[in-house]
Amino acid sequence: MEEYKDKAALSEAIRKAAEQFISEFNDVDESGKDVRLDEVDRTPEEMIAYQLGWMELIRGWDADELAGKEVVTPAPGYKWNQMGALYQGFYGRCKGKTLDELTEAFNMSVESLIGWLSGFSEEELFSPGGRKWASSTPSNWPIWKWVHINTVAPFKSFRSKIRKWKKLRASA
């Protein structure tokens, strides 16, 4: 896993991985956005919905903590072994949106995430215990690691998925 020396490096990694991921959708036509192929576990629409869902979820945990609410991870009504059901909720919120709308929402969410990160001190972001929600699991990860695992890492792995999807779709 990548390590970051400061907020600027983390923000740059997020922005770069996000741009590379979302640019892969430039040549996906609207009629194919919800085509499921056996060899790829998500449709293009679901790939973007997944990213949007996680960015929203992380910022939501923090907003709830700051508002004095109980933070439930991963989400109210879901346990960590029920992620498939949680993802269905992510997909449902994006169903029926165009690729342009999804791309715009993704880009806005990335910028919002980076803006949110700028509000943390380096210590809050990179040391365990920066927020209670980040320490809520046995891993006791610092905030940056939650962000990396739910943004940079899937932006990269899903970039491979969309590339595979496009290759298979072109050969069909």
Side-chain angles (χ1 to χ4, degrees), residues 35-48:
V35 170
R36 184 170 311 281
L37 302 175
D38 290 340
E39 299 89 342
V40 182
D41 65 349
R42 290 178 177 87
T43 68
E45 178 182 78
E46 290 171 344
M47 292 180 206
I48 298 173

Side-chain angles (χ1 to χ4, degrees), residues 80-119:
W80 288 104
N81 63 354
Q82 299 173 311
M83 300 310 288
L86 179 63
Y87 300 156
Q88 290 301 317
F90 293 170
Y91 307 154
R93 288 196 297 273
C94 292
K95 198 77 181 147
K97 293 187 178 180
T98 67
L99 278 176
D100 285 344
E101 291 169 332
L102 291 169
T103 299
E104 182 179 344
F106 176 84
N107 289 329
M108 289 173 47
S109 189
V110 167
E111 289 308 313
S112 177
L113 181 78
I114 290 170
W116 169 71
L117 290 171
S118 72

Side-chain angles (χ1 to χ4, degrees), residues 17 23 25 39 50 65 67 69-70 90 97 121 144 154 170-171:
S23 71
F25 293 84
E39 299 89 342
Y50 176 97
E65 181 173 322
K69 297 178 184 175
E70 179 185 0
F90 293 170
K97 293 187 178 180
S121 70
W144 81 265
S171 66

Side-chain angles (χ1 to χ4, degrees):
M1 177 182 310
E2 297 176 44
E3 293 282 334
Y4 305 100
K5 59 183 177 167
D6 56 30
K7 286 191 286 190
L10 176 59
S11 295
E12 181 56 31
I14 293 167
R15 188 171 277 119
K16 180 180 176 185
E19 287 171 359
Q20 289 174 334
F21 166 73
I22 204 66
S23 71
E24 292 293 338
F25 293 84
N26 292 342
D27 58 351
V28 173
D29 54 58
E30 191 65 35
S31 65
K33 73 178 172 70
D34 45 4
V35 170
R36 184 170 311 281
L37 302 175
D38 290 340
E39 299 89 342
V40 182
D41 65 349
R42 290 178 177 87
T43 68
E45 178 182 78
E46 290 171 344
M47 292 180 206
I48 298 173
Y50 176 97
Q51 311 303 333
L52 288 168
W54 271 108
M55 287 188 284
E56 179 184 319
L57 202 56
I58 291 172
R59 288 191 319 270
W61 296 337
D62 199 56
D64 285 351
E65 181 173 322
L66 293 175
K69 297 178 184 175
E70 179 185 0
V71 178
V72 178
T73 59
Y78 298 94
K79 295 189 180 334
W80 288 104
N81 63 354
Q82 299 173 311
M83 300 310 288
L86 179 63
Y87 300 156
Q88 290 301 317
F90 293 170
Y91 307 154
R93 288 196 297 273
C94 292
K95 198 77 181 147
K97 293 187 178 180
T98 67
L99 278 176
D100 285 344
E101 291 169 332
L102 291 169
T103 299
E104 182 179 344
F106 176 84
N107 289 329
M108 289 173 47
S109 189
V110 167
E111 289 308 313
S112 177
L113 181 78
I114 290 170
W116 169 71
L117 290 171
S118 72
F120 289 98
S121 70
E122 298 285 332
E123 185 173 338
E124 286 173 319
L125 199 55
F126 293 101
S127 299
R131 287 287 199 266
K132 288 179 192 169
W133 62 261
S135 304
S136 67
T137 63
S139 62
N140 193 29
W141 288 341
I143 295 166
W144 81 265
K145 192 165 182 177
W146 282 98
V147 170
H148 172 85
I149 285 177
N150 293 294
T151 62
V152 177
F155 293 166
K156 289 179 178 181
S157 64
F158 277 63
R159 183 175 183 216
S160 297
K161 284 181 190 261
I162 187 60
R163 285 178 158 191
K164 181 177 182 179
W165 183 93
K166 290 189 305 186
K167 184 177 179 179
L168 290 167
R169 177 95 164 140
S171 66

